[in-house]
Amino acid sequence: MAHSPKITIIGAGGFVFPFRLIGDLLSFPALRDATLCLMDLDADRLDRVAGAARELVDHHGLPTVVEQTTDRRAALDGADFVIITFQVGGVESYRHDVEIPRRYGVDQTVGDTVGPGGVFRFLRSVRAYQDIADDALEVCPDAQFINYANPMAMATAYLNALGLRTVGLCHSVQGTTRMLARTLDVPYDEVSYRCAGINHQAWILELRRGAEDLYPRLRRVMAERHVRGRAAADLLADDGDHSDAALAASTYEGGNEQVRTTLMNHFGYFETESSHHASEYVPWFRKDPATTLEYLPERWDYYEICSSHDEQGDVDEQLERLKADLSPSVEYGASIVNAVVTGVPAVVYGNVPNAGRVITNLPDDACVEVACLVDANGVQPTSFGELPPQLAAINRTNVNVQTLAVRAALTGDVEHVHHAVALDPLTSAHCTLEQARAMTDELLEAHAALLPAALRPASSASSSASTLERDPVLAR
Protein backbone atom coordinates (compact mmCIF):
# COMPACT_ATOMS: atom_id res chain seq x y z
CA MET A 1 0.00 0.00 0.00
CA ALA A 2 1.54 3.27 -1.17
CA HIS A 3 0.00 5.47 1.54
CA SER A 4 -0.46 5.30 5.28
CA PRO A 5 -3.69 3.41 5.87
CA LYS A 6 -6.82 4.73 7.51
CA ILE A 7 -8.26 2.07 9.79
CA THR A 8 -11.76 2.76 11.07
CA ILE A 9 -13.33 0.92 14.00
CA ILE A 10 -17.14 1.17 14.17
CA GLY A 11 -18.31 0.48 17.71
CA ALA A 12 -14.98 1.51 19.21
CA GLY A 13 -16.54 2.32 22.58
CA GLY A 14 -17.31 -1.31 23.39
CA PHE A 15 -15.82 -2.89 26.49
CA VAL A 16 -12.37 -4.57 26.25
CA PHE A 17 -12.37 -5.89 22.69
CA PRO A 18 -11.98 -2.71 20.58
CA PHE A 19 -9.12 -1.52 22.75
CA ARG A 20 -7.41 -4.93 22.60
CA LEU A 21 -7.76 -4.72 18.82
CA ILE A 22 -6.08 -1.30 18.86
CA GLY A 23 -3.19 -2.89 20.75
CA ASP A 24 -2.97 -5.61 18.10
CA LEU A 25 -2.81 -3.03 15.29
CA LEU A 26 -0.09 -1.04 17.05
CA SER A 27 1.96 -4.19 17.64
CA PHE A 28 2.76 -4.38 13.91
CA PRO A 29 5.54 -1.89 12.99
CA ALA A 30 4.16 -1.40 9.47
CA LEU A 31 0.85 -0.13 10.90
CA ARG A 32 2.21 2.39 13.38
CA ASP A 33 2.00 5.31 10.95
CA ALA A 34 -1.70 4.59 10.32
CA THR A 35 -4.62 6.80 11.21
CA LEU A 36 -6.92 5.02 13.63
CA CYS A 37 -10.41 6.49 13.37
CA LEU A 38 -12.54 5.43 16.33
CA MET A 39 -16.29 5.80 15.91
CA ASP A 40 -19.12 5.17 18.34
CA LEU A 41 -22.50 6.75 18.97
CA ASP A 42 -21.84 6.86 22.72
CA ALA A 43 -19.48 9.80 23.17
CA ASP A 44 -18.60 8.94 26.78
CA ARG A 45 -17.56 5.39 25.98
CA LEU A 46 -15.69 6.62 22.95
CA ASP A 47 -13.77 9.15 25.07
CA ARG A 48 -12.66 6.36 27.40
CA VAL A 49 -11.26 4.15 24.63
CA ALA A 50 -9.79 6.99 22.54
CA GLY A 51 -8.09 8.42 25.61
CA ALA A 52 -6.56 5.06 26.44
CA ALA A 53 -5.44 4.63 22.80
CA ARG A 54 -3.68 8.02 22.82
CA GLU A 55 -2.03 7.20 26.13
CA LEU A 56 -0.77 3.90 24.69
CA VAL A 57 0.55 5.62 21.55
CA ASP A 58 2.32 8.30 23.62
CA HIS A 59 3.78 5.72 26.02
CA HIS A 60 5.47 3.83 23.18
CA GLY A 61 6.40 6.99 21.24
CA LEU A 62 4.50 5.98 18.11
CA PRO A 63 3.55 8.25 15.18
CA THR A 64 0.00 6.85 15.03
CA VAL A 65 -2.81 9.39 14.65
CA VAL A 66 -5.88 8.61 16.78
CA GLU A 67 -9.10 10.29 15.69
CA GLN A 68 -12.50 9.97 17.30
CA THR A 69 -15.95 10.83 16.03
CA THR A 70 -19.62 10.06 16.51
CA ASP A 71 -20.19 10.74 12.79
CA ARG A 72 -20.37 7.43 10.95
CA ARG A 73 -19.97 8.88 7.45
CA ALA A 74 -16.92 10.93 8.46
CA ALA A 75 -15.36 7.83 10.01
CA LEU A 76 -15.89 5.85 6.82
CA ASP A 77 -14.70 8.58 4.45
CA GLY A 78 -11.49 7.40 2.79
CA ALA A 79 -11.11 4.33 5.02
CA ASP A 80 -8.92 1.51 3.74
CA PHE A 81 -10.09 -0.90 6.43
CA VAL A 82 -13.32 -0.87 8.42
CA ILE A 83 -13.65 -3.05 11.50
CA ILE A 84 -17.14 -3.65 12.91
CA THR A 85 -17.36 -4.46 16.63
CA PHE A 86 -20.75 -3.22 17.85
CA GLN A 87 -23.87 -4.78 19.30
CA VAL A 88 -27.04 -2.78 18.67
CA GLY A 89 -29.30 -2.47 21.70
CA GLY A 90 -26.68 -3.38 24.29
CA VAL A 91 -27.28 -5.50 27.35
CA GLU A 92 -30.93 -4.46 27.67
CA SER A 93 -31.82 -5.93 24.27
CA TYR A 94 -29.67 -8.97 25.01
CA ARG A 95 -31.84 -9.55 28.09
CA HIS A 96 -34.88 -10.03 25.83
CA ASP A 97 -32.91 -12.48 23.68
CA VAL A 98 -32.37 -14.84 26.59
CA GLU A 99 -35.27 -14.23 28.98
CA ILE A 100 -38.19 -14.50 26.54
CA PRO A 101 -37.02 -17.86 25.09
CA ARG A 102 -36.48 -19.24 28.60
CA ARG A 103 -40.19 -18.85 29.27
CA TYR A 104 -40.71 -21.31 26.42
CA GLY A 105 -38.10 -23.76 27.69
CA VAL A 106 -35.35 -22.59 25.31
CA ASP A 107 -32.40 -21.95 27.62
CA GLN A 108 -29.48 -20.29 25.83
CA THR A 109 -26.29 -19.87 27.79
CA VAL A 110 -24.92 -17.56 25.08
CA GLY A 111 -27.66 -16.80 22.54
CA ASP A 112 -25.56 -14.94 19.95
CA THR A 113 -25.12 -17.36 17.03
CA VAL A 114 -28.31 -19.14 15.97
CA GLY A 115 -31.54 -19.78 17.88
CA PRO A 116 -33.90 -16.97 18.84
CA GLY A 117 -31.06 -15.01 20.43
CA GLY A 118 -28.86 -15.14 17.35
CA VAL A 119 -31.69 -14.33 14.94
CA PHE A 120 -32.78 -11.24 16.85
CA ARG A 121 -29.27 -10.01 17.64
CA PHE A 122 -28.82 -9.98 13.87
CA LEU A 123 -32.16 -8.44 12.95
CA ARG A 124 -31.85 -5.51 15.35
CA SER A 125 -28.47 -4.72 13.73
CA VAL A 126 -29.77 -4.75 10.15
CA ARG A 127 -30.58 -1.04 9.99
CA ALA A 128 -27.11 -0.16 11.26
CA TYR A 129 -25.55 -2.40 8.60
CA GLN A 130 -27.72 -0.80 5.93
CA ASP A 131 -26.68 2.70 7.02
CA ILE A 132 -23.01 1.71 7.02
CA ALA A 133 -23.31 0.20 3.54
CA ASP A 134 -25.12 3.25 2.15
CA ASP A 135 -22.29 5.50 3.28
CA ALA A 136 -19.41 3.12 2.56
CA LEU A 137 -20.41 2.46 -1.04
CA GLU A 138 -20.08 6.22 -1.62
CA VAL A 139 -17.07 7.20 0.49
CA CYS A 140 -14.92 4.01 0.78
CA PRO A 141 -16.19 1.54 -1.84
CA ASP A 142 -12.91 -0.39 -2.00
CA ALA A 143 -12.40 -0.77 1.75
CA GLN A 144 -11.78 -4.18 3.27
CA PHE A 145 -14.43 -4.77 5.92
CA ILE A 146 -13.62 -6.97 8.90
CA ASN A 147 -16.63 -8.06 10.92
CA TYR A 148 -16.31 -9.12 14.55
CA ALA A 149 -20.00 -8.73 15.40
CA ASN A 150 -22.11 -11.77 16.21
CA PRO A 151 -24.01 -13.60 14.89
CA MET A 152 -20.95 -13.91 12.66
CA ALA A 153 -22.40 -15.95 9.80
CA MET A 154 -25.60 -13.89 9.45
CA ALA A 155 -23.91 -10.51 9.77
CA THR A 156 -21.06 -11.34 7.40
CA ALA A 157 -23.38 -12.85 4.79
CA TYR A 158 -25.63 -9.78 4.96
CA LEU A 159 -22.78 -7.26 4.68
CA ASN A 160 -21.47 -9.07 1.60
CA ALA A 161 -24.97 -9.14 0.12
CA LEU A 162 -25.09 -5.34 0.56
CA GLY A 163 -21.95 -5.04 -1.58
CA LEU A 164 -19.27 -4.66 1.11
CA ARG A 165 -16.15 -6.81 0.76
CA THR A 166 -16.31 -8.43 4.19
CA VAL A 167 -14.55 -11.21 6.06
CA GLY A 168 -15.87 -12.30 9.45
CA LEU A 169 -13.42 -13.15 12.21
CA CYS A 170 -13.63 -15.16 15.41
CA HIS A 171 -11.13 -16.66 17.86
CA SER A 172 -12.72 -20.10 18.22
CA VAL A 173 -10.31 -21.89 15.85
CA GLN A 174 -7.26 -20.35 17.54
CA GLY A 175 -8.65 -20.94 21.02
CA THR A 176 -9.68 -24.54 20.47
CA THR A 177 -6.46 -25.64 18.75
CA ARG A 178 -4.45 -24.09 21.57
CA MET A 179 -6.65 -25.82 24.13
CA LEU A 180 -6.18 -29.18 22.41
CA ALA A 181 -2.40 -28.73 22.25
CA ARG A 182 -2.37 -27.86 25.96
CA THR A 183 -4.57 -30.86 26.76
CA LEU A 184 -2.16 -33.19 24.92
CA ASP A 185 0.92 -31.43 26.36
CA VAL A 186 2.23 -30.61 22.89
CA PRO A 187 3.91 -27.24 22.16
CA TYR A 188 1.48 -25.21 20.06
CA ASP A 189 4.10 -24.24 17.50
CA GLU A 190 4.60 -27.94 16.75
CA VAL A 191 0.91 -28.55 15.98
CA SER A 192 -0.60 -28.40 12.50
CA TYR A 193 -4.30 -28.66 11.79
CA ARG A 194 -6.93 -28.43 9.10
CA CYS A 195 -10.33 -27.00 9.87
CA ALA A 196 -13.57 -26.08 8.06
CA GLY A 197 -17.29 -25.63 8.67
CA ILE A 198 -19.28 -22.62 9.81
CA ASN A 199 -18.60 -20.10 12.55
CA HIS A 200 -18.85 -21.58 16.06
CA GLN A 201 -19.46 -24.97 14.44
CA ALA A 202 -16.34 -25.68 12.43
CA TRP A 203 -14.50 -28.98 12.74
CA ILE A 204 -10.88 -29.90 13.44
CA LEU A 205 -10.47 -32.38 10.59
CA GLU A 206 -6.75 -33.01 11.03
CA LEU A 207 -4.60 -32.53 14.12
CA ARG A 208 -0.95 -33.47 13.77
CA ARG A 209 2.47 -33.10 15.32
CA GLY A 210 4.84 -33.66 12.44
CA ALA A 211 4.00 -37.10 11.07
CA GLU A 212 2.01 -38.08 14.18
CA ASP A 213 -1.77 -38.10 13.95
CA LEU A 214 -2.85 -36.68 17.32
CA TYR A 215 -6.48 -37.76 17.03
CA PRO A 216 -6.10 -41.27 18.54
CA ARG A 217 -4.49 -39.75 21.65
CA LEU A 218 -7.02 -36.91 21.73
CA ARG A 219 -9.95 -39.35 21.71
CA ARG A 220 -8.40 -41.36 24.54
CA VAL A 221 -7.50 -38.36 26.70
CA MET A 222 -10.84 -36.60 26.24
CA ALA A 223 -12.78 -39.80 26.99
CA GLU A 224 -10.85 -40.23 30.25
CA ARG A 225 -11.04 -36.59 31.28
CA HIS A 226 -14.59 -35.58 30.25
CA VAL A 227 -17.20 -38.02 31.54
CA ARG A 228 -20.90 -37.18 31.50
CA GLY A 229 -22.10 -36.20 34.96
CA ARG A 230 -18.62 -35.60 36.38
CA ALA A 231 -17.49 -32.01 36.90
CA ALA A 232 -13.90 -30.89 36.71
CA ALA A 233 -12.36 -29.05 39.65
CA ASP A 234 -9.85 -26.22 40.10
CA LEU A 235 -10.82 -24.41 36.91
CA LEU A 236 -9.88 -20.84 36.13
CA ALA A 237 -12.73 -18.33 36.23
CA ASP A 238 -13.68 -16.75 32.91
CA ASP A 239 -14.65 -13.13 32.15
CA GLY A 240 -15.76 -13.56 28.53
CA ASP A 241 -12.57 -12.08 27.00
CA HIS A 242 -10.97 -14.77 24.82
CA SER A 243 -8.60 -12.71 22.67
CA ASP A 244 -5.48 -13.88 24.49
CA ALA A 245 -4.23 -17.43 24.74
CA ALA A 246 -5.66 -19.19 27.79
CA LEU A 247 -3.21 -20.26 30.48
CA ALA A 248 -5.16 -23.34 31.60
CA ALA A 249 -8.57 -25.00 31.50
CA SER A 250 -11.37 -22.67 32.57
CA THR A 251 -15.10 -22.69 33.24
CA TYR A 252 -15.48 -21.61 29.59
CA GLU A 253 -13.15 -23.85 27.61
CA GLY A 254 -11.18 -26.99 28.27
CA GLY A 255 -12.54 -27.66 31.75
CA ASN A 256 -15.88 -29.38 31.27
CA GLU A 257 -15.95 -30.56 27.66
CA GLN A 258 -18.53 -33.34 27.87
CA VAL A 259 -20.54 -31.82 24.99
CA ARG A 260 -17.71 -31.55 22.49
CA THR A 261 -16.27 -34.88 23.55
CA THR A 262 -19.67 -36.54 23.03
CA LEU A 263 -20.00 -34.93 19.59
CA MET A 264 -16.54 -36.22 18.68
CA ASN A 265 -17.38 -39.71 19.94
CA HIS A 266 -20.52 -39.89 17.78
CA PHE A 267 -19.54 -37.89 14.69
CA GLY A 268 -15.78 -38.36 14.57
CA TYR A 269 -14.32 -34.86 14.94
CA PHE A 270 -13.84 -32.11 17.51
CA GLU A 271 -15.80 -28.86 17.19
CA THR A 272 -14.25 -25.41 17.44
CA GLU A 273 -16.50 -23.61 19.92
CA SER A 274 -16.85 -24.27 23.64
CA SER A 275 -19.21 -26.89 25.02
CA HIS A 276 -21.44 -24.09 26.33
CA HIS A 277 -21.85 -22.68 22.84
CA ALA A 278 -21.97 -26.06 21.15
CA SER A 279 -24.81 -27.28 23.35
CA GLU A 280 -27.10 -24.59 21.87
CA TYR A 281 -26.61 -25.54 18.22
CA VAL A 282 -27.89 -29.11 18.37
CA PRO A 283 -30.97 -30.71 20.00
CA TRP A 284 -29.33 -33.23 22.34
CA PHE A 285 -27.78 -31.52 25.36
CA ARG A 286 -30.24 -28.94 26.72
CA LYS A 287 -33.50 -30.93 26.79
CA ASP A 288 -34.14 -30.24 30.48
CA PRO A 289 -32.19 -28.83 33.44
CA ALA A 290 -31.06 -32.25 34.66
CA THR A 291 -29.66 -33.27 31.27
CA THR A 292 -27.97 -29.91 30.84
CA LEU A 293 -26.32 -30.26 34.25
CA GLU A 294 -24.95 -33.69 33.34
CA TYR A 295 -23.20 -32.33 30.26
CA LEU A 296 -22.41 -28.84 31.62
CA PRO A 297 -21.92 -29.21 35.38
CA GLU A 298 -20.92 -25.56 35.83
CA ARG A 299 -23.01 -22.95 34.06
CA TRP A 300 -21.25 -20.27 32.03
CA ASP A 301 -23.79 -17.53 31.26
CA TYR A 302 -22.65 -14.83 28.85
CA TYR A 303 -25.57 -12.48 29.57
CA GLU A 304 -24.66 -12.46 33.27
CA ILE A 305 -21.00 -11.83 32.41
CA CYS A 306 -21.90 -8.91 30.13
CA SER A 307 -24.23 -7.43 32.74
CA SER A 308 -21.50 -7.30 35.36
CA HIS A 309 -18.56 -5.84 33.41
CA ASP A 310 -16.60 -2.96 34.91
CA GLU A 311 -15.92 -1.21 31.61
CA GLN A 312 -13.48 1.44 32.86
CA GLY A 313 -11.60 -1.13 34.91
CA ASP A 314 -11.36 -3.47 31.92
CA VAL A 315 -9.83 -0.76 29.71
CA ASP A 316 -7.42 0.38 32.45
CA GLU A 317 -6.20 -3.17 32.95
CA GLN A 318 -5.66 -3.69 29.22
CA LEU A 319 -3.82 -0.37 28.97
CA GLU A 320 -1.33 -1.31 31.67
CA ARG A 321 -0.71 -4.71 30.09
CA LEU A 322 -0.13 -3.19 26.65
CA LYS A 323 2.18 -0.54 28.06
CA ALA A 324 4.30 -3.32 29.49
CA ASP A 325 4.11 -5.60 26.44
CA LEU A 326 2.82 -4.36 23.08
CA SER A 327 2.38 -7.78 21.50
CA PRO A 328 -0.56 -9.15 19.50
CA SER A 329 -3.38 -11.33 20.79
CA VAL A 330 -4.64 -14.44 19.02
CA GLU A 331 -7.14 -12.36 16.99
CA TYR A 332 -6.66 -12.32 13.22
CA GLY A 333 -7.83 -8.77 12.43
CA ALA A 334 -4.51 -6.93 12.70
CA SER A 335 -2.75 -9.74 10.82
CA ILE A 336 -5.12 -9.19 7.89
CA VAL A 337 -4.46 -5.44 7.85
CA ASN A 338 -0.70 -6.00 8.08
CA ALA A 339 -0.69 -8.58 5.27
CA VAL A 340 -2.65 -6.32 2.91
CA VAL A 341 -0.51 -3.25 3.72
CA THR A 342 2.87 -5.00 3.48
CA GLY A 343 2.09 -7.76 0.99
CA VAL A 344 3.66 -10.28 3.38
CA PRO A 345 1.31 -13.30 3.23
CA ALA A 346 -0.64 -14.58 6.21
CA VAL A 347 -3.10 -17.42 6.65
CA VAL A 348 -6.19 -16.87 8.79
CA TYR A 349 -9.44 -18.70 9.35
CA GLY A 350 -12.14 -16.39 8.05
CA ASN A 351 -15.89 -16.42 7.47
CA VAL A 352 -16.72 -15.85 3.81
CA PRO A 353 -19.61 -16.38 1.39
CA ASN A 354 -19.79 -19.92 0.02
CA ALA A 355 -20.49 -18.62 -3.48
CA GLY A 356 -18.71 -20.96 -5.86
CA ARG A 357 -18.89 -23.67 -3.20
CA VAL A 358 -15.76 -23.15 -1.13
CA ILE A 359 -17.20 -26.10 0.84
CA THR A 360 -18.91 -28.13 -1.86
CA ASN A 361 -21.53 -29.89 0.25
CA LEU A 362 -22.85 -26.74 1.95
CA PRO A 363 -25.28 -24.37 0.17
CA ASP A 364 -24.13 -21.48 -2.04
CA ASP A 365 -25.78 -18.92 0.23
CA ALA A 366 -24.07 -20.23 3.38
CA CYS A 367 -21.33 -18.26 5.10
CA VAL A 368 -18.48 -20.70 5.79
CA GLU A 369 -15.34 -20.68 7.93
CA VAL A 370 -12.22 -21.81 6.08
CA ALA A 371 -8.52 -21.07 5.76
CA CYS A 372 -7.87 -17.86 3.81
CA LEU A 373 -4.68 -16.54 2.23
CA VAL A 374 -4.17 -12.82 2.84
CA ASP A 375 -1.70 -10.62 0.97
CA ALA A 376 -1.72 -7.38 -1.04
CA ASN A 377 -4.59 -8.84 -3.09
CA GLY A 378 -6.81 -9.03 -0.03
CA VAL A 379 -8.53 -11.99 1.64
CA GLN A 380 -8.66 -15.06 -0.61
CA PRO A 381 -10.56 -18.12 0.66
CA THR A 382 -9.00 -21.48 -0.09
CA SER A 383 -11.16 -24.13 -1.73
CA PHE A 384 -11.86 -26.83 0.82
CA GLY A 385 -13.98 -29.41 -1.01
CA GLU A 386 -16.36 -31.74 0.84
CA LEU A 387 -16.80 -31.97 4.57
CA PRO A 388 -17.43 -35.44 5.97
CA PRO A 389 -21.15 -35.89 5.23
CA GLN A 390 -22.23 -36.23 8.86
CA LEU A 391 -20.56 -32.90 9.70
CA ALA A 392 -22.08 -31.12 6.72
CA ALA A 393 -25.47 -32.45 7.83
CA ILE A 394 -25.05 -30.89 11.28
CA ASN A 395 -23.85 -27.62 9.75
CA ARG A 396 -26.85 -27.48 7.41
CA THR A 397 -29.25 -27.44 10.38
CA ASN A 398 -27.62 -24.17 11.45
CA VAL A 399 -27.19 -22.81 7.93
CA ASN A 400 -30.97 -23.15 7.50
CA VAL A 401 -31.51 -20.70 10.36
CA GLN A 402 -28.82 -18.30 9.18
CA THR A 403 -29.89 -18.07 5.55
CA LEU A 404 -33.56 -17.62 6.40
CA ALA A 405 -32.76 -14.79 8.81
CA VAL A 406 -30.62 -13.09 6.16
CA ARG A 407 -33.41 -13.56 3.62
CA ALA A 408 -35.85 -11.92 6.04
CA ALA A 409 -33.52 -8.92 6.27
CA LEU A 410 -33.05 -8.69 2.50
CA THR A 411 -36.72 -9.14 1.55
CA GLY A 412 -38.59 -7.73 4.55
CA ASP A 413 -40.64 -10.93 4.78
CA VAL A 414 -41.38 -11.43 8.47
CA GLU A 415 -42.52 -15.00 7.83
CA HIS A 416 -38.89 -15.91 7.23
CA VAL A 417 -38.14 -14.74 10.78
CA HIS A 418 -40.70 -17.27 12.02
CA HIS A 419 -39.22 -19.93 9.73
CA ALA A 420 -35.68 -19.27 10.98
CA VAL A 421 -36.62 -19.58 14.66
CA ALA A 422 -38.87 -22.62 14.15
CA LEU A 423 -36.07 -24.49 12.34
CA ASP A 424 -33.50 -23.80 15.04
CA PRO A 425 -32.45 -27.20 16.48
CA LEU A 426 -32.71 -26.15 20.14
CA THR A 427 -36.05 -24.40 19.66
CA SER A 428 -37.51 -27.37 17.81
CA ALA A 429 -36.37 -29.66 20.63
CA HIS A 430 -38.61 -27.73 23.06
CA CYS A 431 -41.39 -25.96 21.18
CA THR A 432 -44.31 -26.87 19.01
CA LEU A 433 -44.67 -24.75 15.90
CA GLU A 434 -47.40 -22.76 17.63
CA GLN A 435 -45.13 -22.11 20.63
CA ALA A 436 -42.21 -21.13 18.39
CA ARG A 437 -44.45 -18.63 16.59
CA ALA A 438 -45.71 -17.16 19.86
CA MET A 439 -42.15 -16.81 21.15
CA THR A 440 -41.05 -15.13 17.91
CA ASP A 441 -44.00 -12.72 18.10
CA GLU A 442 -42.95 -11.75 21.63
CA LEU A 443 -39.40 -11.11 20.45
CA LEU A 444 -40.63 -9.05 17.49
CA GLU A 445 -42.59 -6.88 19.92
CA ALA A 446 -39.73 -6.56 22.39
CA HIS A 447 -37.24 -5.49 19.70
CA ALA A 448 -39.68 -3.50 17.54
CA ALA A 449 -37.92 -0.14 17.99
CA LEU A 450 -34.70 -1.51 16.52
CA LEU A 451 -36.06 -3.66 13.68
CA PRO A 452 -36.31 -2.71 10.02
CA ALA A 453 -39.72 -1.18 9.34
CA ALA A 454 -40.89 -4.14 7.27
CA LEU A 455 -40.29 -6.54 10.17
CA ARG A 456 -41.97 -4.52 12.93
CA PRO A 457 -45.32 -5.73 14.26
CA ALA A 458 -48.13 -3.46 13.08
CA SER A 459 -49.03 -2.64 16.68
CA SER A 460 -45.51 -1.30 17.29
CA ALA A 461 -44.91 0.62 14.07
CA SER A 462 -46.08 4.06 15.21
CA SER A 463 -44.49 3.89 18.66
CA SER A 464 -41.22 2.63 17.15
CA ALA A 465 -41.10 5.55 14.75
CA SER A 466 -41.59 8.09 17.53
CA THR A 467 -38.99 6.39 19.71
CA LEU A 468 -36.43 6.51 16.94
CA GLU A 469 -37.08 10.21 16.41
CA ARG A 470 -36.43 10.86 20.10
CA ASP A 471 -33.39 8.61 20.54
CA PRO A 472 -30.54 8.79 18.00
CA VAL A 473 -28.76 5.88 19.68
CA LEU A 474 -31.64 3.60 18.72
CA ALA A 475 -31.70 5.08 15.24
CA ARG A 476 -28.48 3.38 14.30
Side-chain angles (χ1 to χ4, degrees):
M1 186 170 285
H3 61 278
S4 298
K6 177 179 179 179
I7 306 167
T8 292
I9 302 178
I10 305 291
F15 78 84
V16 181
F17 183 74
F19 185 65
R20 188 64 187 90
L21 185 57
I22 290 166
D24 285 357
L25 292 164
L26 296 177
S27 74
F28 285 91
L31 305 183
R32 290 173 179 169
D33 65 349
T35 295
L36 299 183
C37 185
L38 310 182
M39 184 270 162
D40 201 282
L41 292 176
D42 188 320
D44 291 337
R45 287 183 170 185
L46 183 60
D47 281 342
R48 181 185 65 239
V49 176
R54 292 189 182 101
E55 187 174 341
L56 182 63
V57 166
D58 291 345
H59 176 82
H60 289 287
L62 305 179
T64 316
V65 175
V66 178
E67 300 176 345
Q68 68 184 92
T69 181
T70 57
D71 185 326
R72 180 188 61 245
R73 188 177 178 90
L76 292 170
D77 192 11
D80 298 291
F81 303 90
V82 180
I83 303 173
I84 293 176
T85 66
F86 60 77
Q87 176 193 171
V88 170
V91 173
E92 181 57 32
S93 289
Y94 188 13
R95 180 175 65 84
H96 296 313
D97 292 344
V98 295
E99 290 187 355
I100 291 173
R102 279 177 193 161
R103 294 204 295 268
Y104 290 82
V106 182
D107 179 26
Q108 304 162 107
T109 188
V110 189
D112 71 354
T113 302
V114 288
V119 168
F120 279 89
R121 181 181 286 238
F122 166 63
L123 292 176
R124 67 173 181 265
S125 302
V126 161
R127 296 174 60 209
Y129 297 145
Q130 289 172 332
D131 290 342
I132 289 169
D134 289 345
D135 284 340
L137 293 173
E138 292 184 17
V139 301
C140 60
D142 299 322
Q144 173 66 63
F145 275 72
I146 297 172
N147 176 51
Y148 273 107
N150 282 322
M152 179 61 60
M154 297 181 211
T156 302
Y158 185 67
L159 289 163
N160 276 286
L162 294 179
L164 303 180
R165 187 161 51 98
T166 307
V167 61
L169 297 180
C170 183
H171 41 239
S172 58
V173 172
Q174 307 96 294
T176 292
T177 52
R178 281 173 166 79
M179 182 272 286
L180 294 179
R182 191 175 65 245
T183 298
L184 297 176
D185 196 24
V186 175
Y188 187 66
D189 59 4
E190 296 180 16
V191 172
S192 63
Y193 58 89
R194 189 164 179 249
C195 179
I198 61 175
N199 182 241
H200 288 179
Q201 199 184 62
W203 310 95
I204 309 295
L205 297 158
E206 294 179 8
L207 187 68
R208 310 187 70 85
R209 183 188 194 184
E212 180 188 3
D213 179 1
L214 293 174
Y215 249 113
R217 184 148 63 100
L218 177 66
R219 292 188 176 98
R220 184 177 67 254
V221 169
M222 298 304 272
E224 293 169 353
R225 187 172 298 185
H226 302 290
V227 177
R228 177 177 172 181
R230 188 178 73 195
D234 301 320
L235 300 179
L236 294 180
D238 184 86
D239 63 0
D241 178 13
H242 306 131
S243 293
D244 290 305
L247 300 176
S250 70
T251 55
Y252 175 73
E253 184 177 69
N256 293 301
E257 292 287 2
Q258 289 88 327
V259 170
R260 288 200 283 184
T261 299
T262 301
L263 287 169
M264 178 177 64
N265 291 343
H266 288 268
F267 294 98
Y269 298 90
F270 204 78
E271 191 193 316
T272 55
E273 191 41 275
S274 75
S275 281
H276 303 279
H277 274 272
S279 68
E280 294 184 8
Y281 311 148
V282 291
W284 305 302
F285 303 109
R286 308 188 71 85
K287 288 185 174 295
D288 54 68
T291 301
T292 303
L293 190 62
E294 286 187 22
Y295 285 105
L296 295 161
E298 185 167 352
R299 184 178 180 89
W300 182 89
D301 191 298
Y302 193 49
Y303 169 69
E304 293 177 1
I305 289 171
C306 291
S307 299
S308 60
H309 268 296
D310 172 10
E311 296 185 2
Q312 183 63 56
D314 291 333
V315 171
D316 290 345
E317 180 183 347
Q318 287 277 13
L319 176 59
E320 292 309 309
R321 288 168 58 190
L322 288 168
K323 282 181 176 180
D325 180 18
L326 188 58
S327 58
S329 70
V330 303
E331 301 289 351
Y332 287 133
S335 296
I336 288 178
V337 177
N338 184 68
V340 174
V341 168
T342 64
V344 177
V347 174
V348 305
Y349 274 83
N351 292 270
V352 295
N354 199 38
R357 296 288 178 97
V358 176
I359 297 178
T360 54
N361 53 348
L362 291 181
D364 281 348
D365 56 353
C367 182
V368 296
E369 190 165 70
V370 294
C372 300
L373 171 66
V374 190
D375 57 20
N377 296 313
V379 179
Q380 303 146 77
T382 61
S383 178
F384 179 81
E386 281 198 4
L387 282 171
Q390 72 277 19
L391 305 183
I394 296 174
N395 283 162
R396 282 194 292 267
T397 66
N398 283 224
V399 169
N400 292 337
V401 179
Q402 294 159 355
T403 55
L404 282 163
V406 172
R407 186 161 299 216
L410 291 170
T411 65
D413 186 347
V414 74
E415 280 301 302
H416 285 323
V417 181
H418 288 285
H419 301 155
V421 174
L423 286 167
D424 168 58
L426 183 60
T427 298
S428 58
H430 290 277
C431 296
T432 65
L433 287 171
E434 291 80 7
Q435 290 167 334
R437 180 166 288 268
M439 177 177 68
T440 304
D441 282 338
E442 278 198 53
L443 286 160
L444 287 166
E445 285 284 352
H447 292 299
L450 298 175
L451 296 176
L455 300 181
R456 289 181 212 145
S459 61
S460 302
S462 59
S463 61
S464 297
S466 62
T467 300
L468 289 166
E469 289 170 3
R470 292 194 306 270
D471 193 338
V473 175
L474 295 181
R476 68 171 169 177

